[in-house]
């Protein structure tokens, strides 16, 4: 065994040197423990073993934060007798955390544990909020003892730390060591003995008493790499702990603390690339959860886009800012988390949505919603600056938060307690902000600043008439204001909002109107709001920017996944971004929407191109075209049909299919998903859609298929975004459809390539 420590009393040892496979050897008992991991048996992607990584000695095991753990049982079938450790217990382990949990129910994310808190039995070594950590033991006689790391001794993310916990009942003390040095101690009565948690497995990476989220996700699981876990039934001395630490450094790392390459520990998208439902040319996190992308900004030749992200797993919790960068808005690179909750008075409980703009020197700044549950309200507007002036890194990987909130909601300033998602812009006169809230219905509140740090409330920018339009809801989130250019009436702006709360229709609503800069308010051209997308809750979470390179207005959205928590657990990811949209003012005064032209760079071989063909002739040629990553441009003349369109993701026998169609009489753009999937666990289905006035023109559909994503852009006026999860692998066909004989004016189809 590869340690200088005297191995007397070593009762369990996991070296994690396998480097492959689905089990880890406990060396003392020679028991091979199974490693639980969601993709050991994968339903939607290729099965693969847990992720093994470089350790401090040989290999280490990467725990994904929601599904990876080891259960080491002491039952008779295991032929593993329980070692004696009542009067003394020492644990030594190398850990490199990747993220910290929120700390629900006051429980620790377990590194290693075998305990029962109700009975005050056993032991638990684990992490808590913001990197703090603790060793907890149950003593005979019914006492539960907790020893916590002091401030300044948290376990840093993405770095190796050597952690030791020692219980010495004979001497009456518990100690914590970090990197070979004692950092905390506490007294227990001399002669204390551990109370045994006899009917409990030892778990590595999972808490014995995890809380469940959505009845599916076990919280309090370790995220990061673990290596060289040793448990002794004696109390290691301070000298032994220090020697063990020095031995690893001197023997394997030339005398310095082991360094960890970020690529070894970062979230890995590789297992998901073959997922048959995961989009491949839409922007997505490497793994786990995202909601809305936001804060787009262009700087030093690159586009930056951030997103709401839970790095622990594919569930909504513990929100950070993920980060992508791109040179063309199409091919994205994953960057480390930009903003995370920290142990401060600003945003310890979440980094919620916001926007990006430039400071007086033209450098990017991020405005975000700071979550602090100890404050009232628990949401305020805060700012972070990049370290670009110090490191010159155009990827803008490092961000430093301004220590105080910039805008704190006061009574009378909108709906108290709902105050989030700042949208900030700058012009020659200063900086302006919209914040989502409510005033007897959803509202965007307006603020102005001369220096970006001190803000003045200007009143409501625009608010809903909830009596007339109850679906606009009591609260608005994610307000976005973009300049659209001029028409006969003057300069026009586009206002986007996302209603939430009781009675709200959670879609992206918009108005075209004028900005009254004097009063910092918005005057819509027409009172009734419009929808960009009619696909029913798949096109949400708007953000936007004016692209300095081209002058275009570009809108980003989240494409909601429409799956159960169980499906998201199995797949390891939840949600992705929609395609970036260019929005503009048309000559007829309506809002024009088009996917950005840069997407053409993803076209592979052209699969079909035809003009002026009958329905039957077209469908004969379509028999040879299959795919789940396609771009389709289609123009249909109604002919004798009143309803007509295209079926996508069809099986040869028609058992599974999704129909996109236009209802000429009703002027509706629709999707019929009643035959989309036979999978009993998927919930997508039914018929969705909304109003599209073609004013007698042909139907022009621009469709993007990307695995489970279906986006249809109709005549540059509306989009319909939906999700499909066919159960059958041969659901790859296409067919033109009509209730009469529509005429195919043109049809062009390309294969599309992955951006990852």
């Amino acid at each position: 065994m590869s340690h200088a420590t005297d191995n007397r009393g070593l009762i369990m040892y996991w070296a994690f040197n396998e480097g492959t496979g689905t089990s880890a050897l406990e060396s003392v008992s020679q028991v091979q423990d199974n490693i639980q991991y969601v993709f050991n048996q994968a339903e939607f992607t290729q099965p693969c073993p847990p992720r093994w990584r470089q350790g401090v000695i040989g290999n280490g095991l990467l725990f994904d934060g929601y599904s990876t753990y080891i259960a080491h049982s002491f039952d008779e079938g295991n032929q593993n007798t329980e070692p004696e450790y009542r009067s003394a217990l020492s644990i030594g382990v190398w850990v490199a955390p990747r993220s910290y949990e929120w700390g629900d129910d006051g429980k620790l994310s377990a590194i290693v544990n075998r305990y029962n808190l109700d009975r005050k039995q056993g032991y638990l070594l684990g992490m808590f909020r913001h990197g703090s950590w603790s060793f907890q033991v149950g003593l005979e006689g019914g006492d539960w003892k907790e020893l916590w790391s002091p401030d300044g001794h948290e376990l840093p993310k993405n770095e190796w730390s050597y952690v030791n916990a020692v219980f010495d009942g004979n001497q009456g003390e518990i100690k914590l060591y970090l990197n070979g040095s004692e950092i905390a101690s506490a007294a227990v009565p001399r002669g204390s003995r551990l109370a045994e948690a006899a009917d409990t497995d030892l778990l590595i990476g999972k808490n014995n008493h995890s809380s469940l989220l959505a009845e599916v996700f076990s919280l309090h699981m370790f995220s990061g790499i673990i290596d060289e876990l040793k448990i002794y039934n004696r109390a290691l001395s301070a000298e032994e702990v220090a020697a063990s630490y020095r031995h690893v450094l001197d023997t394997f790392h030339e005398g310095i603390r082991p360094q960890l390459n970020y690529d070894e520990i970062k979230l890995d998208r590789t297992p998901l690339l073959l997922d048959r439902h995961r989009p491949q040319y839409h922007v997505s996190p490497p793994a786990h959860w995202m909601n809305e992308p936001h804060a787009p900004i262009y700087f030093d030749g690159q586009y930056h886009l951030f997103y709401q992200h839970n790095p622990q797993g594919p569930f909504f919790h513990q929100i950070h800012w993920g980060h992508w960068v791109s040179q063309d808005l199409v091919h994205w690179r994953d960057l480390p988390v930009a903003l995370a909750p920290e142990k401060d008075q600003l945003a310890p409980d979440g980094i919620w949505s916001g926007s990006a703009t430039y400071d007086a020197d033209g450098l990017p700044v991020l405005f975000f919603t700071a979550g602090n549950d100890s404050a009232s309200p628990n949401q305020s507007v805060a700012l972070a600056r990049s370290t670009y002036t110090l490191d010159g890194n155009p990827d803008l990987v490092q961000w430093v938060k301004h220590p105080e909130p910039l805008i704190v909601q006061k009574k009378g300033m909108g709906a108290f307690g709902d105050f989030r998602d700042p949208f900030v812009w700058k012009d020659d006169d200063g900086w302006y902000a919209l914040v989502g809230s409510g005033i007897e219905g959803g509202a965007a509140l307006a603020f102005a600043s001369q220096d970006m740090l001190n803000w003045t409330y200007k009143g409501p920018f625009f608010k809903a008439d909830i009596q007339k339009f109850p679906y606009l809801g009591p609260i608005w989130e994610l307000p976005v204001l973009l300049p659209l250019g001029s028409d006969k009436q003057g300069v026009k702006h586009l206002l986007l909002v996302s209603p939430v709360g009781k009675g709200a229709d959670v879609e992206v609503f918009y108005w075209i109107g004028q900005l009254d800069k004097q009063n910092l308010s918005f005057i819509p051209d027409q009172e009734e709001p419009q929808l960009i997308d009619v696909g029913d809750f798949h096109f949400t979470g708007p953000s936007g920017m004016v692209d300095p390179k081209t002058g275009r207005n570009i809108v980003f959205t989240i494409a909601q996944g429409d799956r159960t928590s169980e499906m998201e657990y199995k797949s390891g990811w939840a949600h992705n971004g929609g395609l970036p949209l260019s929005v503009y003012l048309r000559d007829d005064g309506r809002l024009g929407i088009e996917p950005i032209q840069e997407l053409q760079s993803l076209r592979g071989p052209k699969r079909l191109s035809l003009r002026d063909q009958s329905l039957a002739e077209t469908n004969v040629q379509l028999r040879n075209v299959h795919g789940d990553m396609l771009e389709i441009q289609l123009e249909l003349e109604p002919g004798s049909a009143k309803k007509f369109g295209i079926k996508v993701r069809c099986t040869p026998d028609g058992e599974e299919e999704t129909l996109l169609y236009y209802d000429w009489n009703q002027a509706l753009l629709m999707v019929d998903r009643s035959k989309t999937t036979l999978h009993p666990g998927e919930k997508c289905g039914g018929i969705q859609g909304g109003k599209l006035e073609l004013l007698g023109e042909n139907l022009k559909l621009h469709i993007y298929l990307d695995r489970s994503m279906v986006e249809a852009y109709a005549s540059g006026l509306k989009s319909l975004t939906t999700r499909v999860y066919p159960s059958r692998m041969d659901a790859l066909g296409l067919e033109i459809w009509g209730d009469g004989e529509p005429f195919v004016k043109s049809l062009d189809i390309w294969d599309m390539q992955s951006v990852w």
Side-chain angles (χ1 to χ4, degrees):
M1 298 193 185
S2 50
H3 261 214
T5 310
D6 181 348
N7 281 322
R8 280 181 306 114
L10 183 67
I11 54 173
M12 284 175 267
Y13 173 32
W14 288 266
F16 295 117
N17 275 341
E18 287 80 3
T20 187
T22 58
S23 65
L25 176 67
E26 193 290 288
S27 308
V28 177
S29 65
Q30 290 292 301
V31 167
Q32 289 280 355
D33 289 317
N34 291 328
I35 303 167
Q36 304 300 317
Y37 175 56
V38 66
F39 295 134
N40 286 344
Q41 299 90 27
E43 183 173 353
F44 305 114
T45 188
Q46 290 292 319
C48 64
R51 314 313 278 171
W52 295 88
R53 293 292 185 257
Q54 185 71 45
V56 292
I57 303 172
N59 295 299
L61 182 61
L62 178 58
F63 291 72
D64 68 358
Y66 88 99
S67 82
T68 317
Y69 71 95
I70 293 171
H72 181 78
S73 60
F74 297 98
D75 56 51
E76 292 167 19
N78 205 341
Q79 293 154 14
N80 185 16
T81 56
E82 172 146 31
E84 173 64 40
Y85 54 79
R86 300 292 185 83
S87 58
L89 180 73
S90 299
I91 301 173
V93 62
W94 285 88
V95 294
R98 182 165 63 193
S99 62
Y100 306 144
E101 269 209 316
W102 193 87
D104 297 74
D105 304 319
K107 296 177 185 178
L108 300 181
S109 294
I111 297 168
V112 59
N113 65 140
R114 190 183 183 211
Y115 81 105
N116 185 320
L117 186 57
D118 293 339
R119 299 183 194 162
K120 296 181 178 166
Q121 296 171 340
Y123 58 90
L124 163 64
L125 174 64
M127 295 177 59
F128 197 56
R129 307 192 70 189
H130 310 129
S132 63
W133 54 288
S134 177
F135 181 47
Q136 307 182 359
V137 294
L139 304 180
E140 288 184 351
D143 195 15
W144 182 258
K145 193 72 182 174
E146 299 182 0
L147 181 58
W148 285 82
S149 61
D151 285 351
H153 294 280
E154 292 80 16
L155 301 180
K157 282 185 270 198
N158 306 325
E159 291 180 30
W160 282 114
S161 296
Y162 185 47
V163 169
N164 286 82
V166 177
F167 165 74
D168 187 340
N170 296 331
Q171 293 299 314
E173 58 189 14
I174 308 179
K175 296 192 173 205
L176 297 183
Y177 297 84
L178 181 59
N179 297 325
S181 300
E182 182 182 319
I183 60 165
S185 65
V188 295
R190 278 178 177 266
S192 291
R193 287 165 64 82
L194 287 175
E196 182 190 353
D199 54 354
T200 306
D201 283 348
L202 177 148
L203 298 184
I204 302 170
K206 180 179 181 178
N207 194 302
N208 277 132
H209 302 283
S210 296
S211 301
L212 266 187
L213 184 76
E215 301 179 359
V216 172
F217 294 98
S218 295
L219 301 176
H220 322 301
M221 294 185 66
F222 181 81
S223 174
I225 309 175
I226 296 180
D227 195 17
E228 293 291 315
L229 170 58
K230 293 188 167 190
I231 303 178
Y232 297 81
N233 65 1
R234 64 184 184 87
L236 295 185
S237 68
E239 293 76 19
E240 287 179 299
V241 170
S244 181
Y245 178 63
R246 290 293 339 161
H247 173 71
V248 171
L249 269 58
D250 295 343
T251 310
F252 300 96
H253 298 279
E254 299 177 342
I256 60 170
R257 193 159 144 207
Q259 300 300 296
L260 182 60
N261 182 336
Y262 174 71
D263 284 347
E264 288 284 299
I265 196 171
K266 70 180 183 182
L267 278 176
D268 180 8
R269 69 169 63 243
T270 315
L272 302 178
L273 292 176
L274 296 173
D275 183 311
R276 60 194 177 91
H277 297 311
R278 191 166 209 225
Q280 297 299 307
Y281 59 86
H282 286 72
V283 68
S284 62
H288 296 176
W289 172 277
M290 73 168 276
N291 40 307
E292 62 266 9
H294 51 72
I297 195 162
Y298 183 75
F299 179 71
D300 200 7
Q302 298 193 114
Y303 296 93
H304 294 261
L305 186 60
F306 302 84
Y307 57 97
Q308 297 281 270
H309 180 44
N310 178 12
Q312 283 281 139
F315 54 95
F316 180 69
H317 210 44
Q318 175 69 1
I319 294 298
H320 296 55
W321 273 34
H323 186 187
W324 301 292
V325 68
S326 172
Q327 294 186 341
D328 62 1
L329 292 168
V330 174
H331 298 84
W332 298 91
R333 280 190 293 124
D334 296 312
L335 292 178
V337 162
L339 298 175
E342 292 179 90
K343 193 175 190 173
D344 56 27
Q345 288 308 300
L346 182 70
D349 296 299
I351 310 282
W352 304 90
S353 277
S355 60
T357 189
Y358 303 98
D359 68 11
D361 298 320
L363 295 171
V365 286
L366 304 181
F367 284 82
F368 62 94
T369 308
N372 181 357
D373 291 342
S374 66
S376 180
N378 67 350
Q379 303 157 31
S380 62
V381 175
L383 175 146
R385 299 175 186 271
S386 88
T387 57
Y388 181 77
T389 52
L390 301 174
D391 58 33
N393 183 348
D395 282 354
L396 307 180
V397 171
Q398 299 288 334
W399 296 84
V400 178
K401 296 171 192 154
H402 188 73
E404 304 289 327
L406 299 189
I407 309 177
V408 177
Q409 187 184 30
K410 298 181 174 65
K411 290 272 170 67
M413 198 185 276
F416 194 73
D418 286 295
F419 189 77
R420 52 189 172 271
D421 310 335
F423 178 82
V424 182
W425 74 97
K426 175 183 182 290
D427 68 14
D428 294 342
D429 298 322
W431 288 264
Y432 303 91
L434 304 182
V435 180
S437 188
I439 302 172
E440 297 166 357
L445 309 180
F447 298 83
S449 173
Q450 288 300 301
D451 62 3
M452 204 178 69
L453 297 178
N454 298 282
W455 291 83
T456 304
Y457 179 48
K458 295 292 190 179
F461 182 74
F462 188 60
K463 59 182 185 175
D465 185 336
I466 200 155
Q467 303 305 317
K468 272 191 186 174
F469 310 111
Y471 54 84
L472 285 175
I475 303 295
W476 286 349
E477 294 183 335
L478 304 160
V480 175
L481 184 73
L482 296 171
L484 276 184
S486 300
D487 66 7
K488 292 168 189 164
Q489 279 85 42
V491 178
K492 291 298 170 74
H493 280 73
L494 173 70
L495 176 65
L496 304 168
V497 301
S498 185
V500 294
K502 190 175 179 187
D505 184 7
V506 185
E507 312 280 354
V508 179
F509 287 95
Y510 74 88
W511 295 263
I512 295 171
Q514 288 175 298
L515 168 65
D516 177 352
K517 201 168 158 190
Q518 193 69 38
N519 297 305
L520 206 51
S521 64
F522 181 75
I523 303 141
D525 289 355
Q526 56 181 66
E527 207 181 357
E528 187 174 358
Q530 305 293 310
L531 285 171
I532 289 178
D533 189 276
V534 296
D536 192 25
F537 194 60
H538 296 292
F539 176 103
T540 68
S543 60
M545 71 182 291
V546 179
D547 178 9
K549 236 168 102 173
T550 63
R552 293 172 301 179
N553 291 299
I554 298 177
V555 170
F556 301 87
T557 59
I558 173 182
Q560 301 275 356
D562 196 24
R563 299 183 99 179
T564 64
S565 294
E566 187 180 7
M567 291 293 104
E568 287 167 346
Y569 182 99
K570 285 181 177 182
S571 60
W573 61 277
H575 316 307
N576 50 269
L579 293 175
L581 290 187
S582 169
V583 298
Y584 55 94
L585 192 64
R586 290 166 46 117
D587 292 341
D588 61 8
R590 293 194 283 179
L591 185 69
I593 61 159
E594 294 285 355
I596 60 169
Q597 285 188 319
E598 288 91 332
L599 292 164
Q600 293 177 17
S601 68
L602 297 177
R603 288 175 179 171
K606 195 163 195 179
R607 300 291 299 278
L608 190 63
S609 183
L610 54 83
R611 300 287 179 274
D612 299 319
Q613 302 266 318
S614 70
L615 177 79
E617 289 168 329
T618 304
N619 283 333
V620 167
Q621 295 191 57
L622 276 176
R623 284 180 199 156
N624 300 318
V625 182
H626 303 92
D628 60 3
M629 287 172 62
L630 299 173
E631 179 189 355
I632 303 166
Q633 289 188 330
L634 169 66
E635 181 178 348
L636 287 174
E637 205 173 80
S640 62
K642 298 303 178 199
K643 295 178 183 175
F644 50 93
I646 183 171
K647 293 179 180 180
V648 300
R649 301 303 306 272
C650 311
T651 55
D653 57 8
E655 196 178 31
E656 289 185 338
E657 62 184 27
T658 297
L659 171 63
L660 293 161
Y661 68 96
Y662 187 66
D663 183 326
W664 190 262
N665 289 343
Q666 304 288 323
L668 294 173
L669 179 65
M670 306 296 288
V671 60
D672 184 344
R673 296 188 300 167
S674 53
K675 292 173 69 179
T676 287
T677 184
L678 297 168
H679 193 296
E682 301 287 6
K683 63 178 190 177
C684 62
I687 300 174
Q688 296 88 34
K691 214 67 178 165
L692 169 64
E693 299 284 359
L694 288 183
L695 308 179
E697 293 181 2
N698 288 340
L699 175 68
K700 294 175 182 173
L701 287 179
H702 193 172
I703 299 166
Y704 290 89
L705 301 186
D706 190 5
R707 306 255 164 109
S708 63
M709 282 294 298
V710 180
E711 282 165 278
Y713 298 90
S715 301
L717 286 166
K718 292 281 181 205
S719 63
L720 190 157
T721 303
T722 194
R723 297 304 284 243
V724 298
Y725 303 93
S727 68
R728 285 177 45 176
M729 304 292 272
D730 60 351
L732 299 169
L734 302 168
E735 183 187 334
I736 306 298
W737 173 88
D739 63 359
E741 283 285 324
F743 189 65
V744 181
K745 291 293 291 178
S746 64
L747 175 60
D748 295 282
I749 304 174
W750 295 264
D751 282 333
M752 291 290 271
Q753 297 163 339
S754 172
V755 300
W756 308 108

